[in-house]
Amino acid sequence: MSASLREPILDWYAEHNRDLPWRRPEATPWGILVSEIMLQQTPVARVLPVWAEWMERWPTPEALAKESPGEAVRHWGRLGYPRRALNLHACARAITTDHGGRVPSTYDELLALPGIGDYTAAAVASFAYGGSHAVLDTNVRRVLARAVRGEEYPPKAPTAAERRLAESLVPPVGAPRWAVAVMELGALVCTARAPRCERCPVTSLCAWRLAGRPAHDGPARQGQTYAGTDRQCRGRLLAVLREAHGPVPKQALDAIWADHVQRERALDGLLDDGLAETLPDGTYQLPS
């Protein structure tokens, strides 16, 4: 089964892959690491301009490490989940102090960096250094769930069985290209809500399609709400701090959200997460 899946998916990727800057030969390991963290739960279209700005401003880990964490948060813009900016800043400092400014090449070294999990370590080791790893992001997991296991969606969290399956499909040669090809298939064709089975290179082999595309029988998959949530409130508060380029009085934060209890809860969350800090005079700013 593995060989029969690999060839058509790789052929499809050769024709349909997107020209993304972090996939080009000149992409640096640092640029690839930045892209992988930015792309977590964020569409490519939103990441592209921010990634380009970051790489122009901070082309190396040392360049970012010299800045304050607040500058990383400021230039993260509206990508969402801004703790990722703090993780990248912490990574830059660790790479600079512990690895001589060079992004480490092994899975274990990458996994030891601040905020780096299994997926990102495997992805950077593969895409930056040609390592042979099972790279399991949401798109890959969905493709394998459908094509091999005949299930519409994978479990909420990766399982040992999923990892064994992914590892069994890794080719002896060209593992990074295989990983990105399956990822691209999930992003462009085998999508979560409206899979384009008629365009899929393995539609004739797909266990889910051959079974009649049975509906997901696990827990209901609910889309994330945003309007009116603490997350939206946090985003508005953070936007004020980002745009101020200096300390902000409490009144300026109070003015952006009417619900006092929710606003204070969201502000406390920003402080607890290290995304904001209070100065002795009672004003607020991005972390220094």
Side-chain angles (χ1 to χ4, degrees), residues 67-86:
E67 298 270 15
S68 70
E71 284 305 294
V73 175
R74 188 187 316 281
H75 290 277
W76 192 255
R78 297 187 178 276
L79 282 183
Y81 304 101
R83 286 197 67 182
R84 293 180 293 168
L86 294 181

Side-chain angles (χ1 to χ4, degrees), residues 2-4 6-7 10 130-134 166-179:
S2 60
S4 61
R6 279 202 299 260
E7 185 174 350
L10 288 169
S132 181
H133 298 277
E167 289 172 349
S168 74
L169 294 171
V170 175
V173 178
R177 188 169 179 81
W178 164 248

Side-chain angles (χ1 to χ4, degrees), residues 138-219:
T138 302
N139 289 317
V140 173
R141 296 179 62 223
R142 187 170 57 253
V143 170
L144 298 185
R146 290 173 179 171
V148 180
R149 297 202 310 274
E151 301 168 0
E152 185 178 16
Y153 298 117
K156 284 192 173 181
T159 65
E162 279 185 284
R163 178 156 299 283
R164 287 193 298 269
L165 171 60
E167 289 172 349
S168 74
L169 294 171
V170 175
V173 178
R177 188 169 179 81
W178 164 248
V180 74
V182 182
M183 195 179 301
E184 192 81 330
L185 184 65
L188 300 182
V189 175
C190 193
T191 58
R193 297 186 182 277
R196 301 171 176 88
C197 295
E198 71 282 358
R199 300 183 186 178
C200 180
V202 293
T203 189
S204 63
L205 303 171
C206 177
W208 181 60
R209 191 195 68 82
L210 293 173
R213 295 177 40 154
H216 178 65
D217 62 359

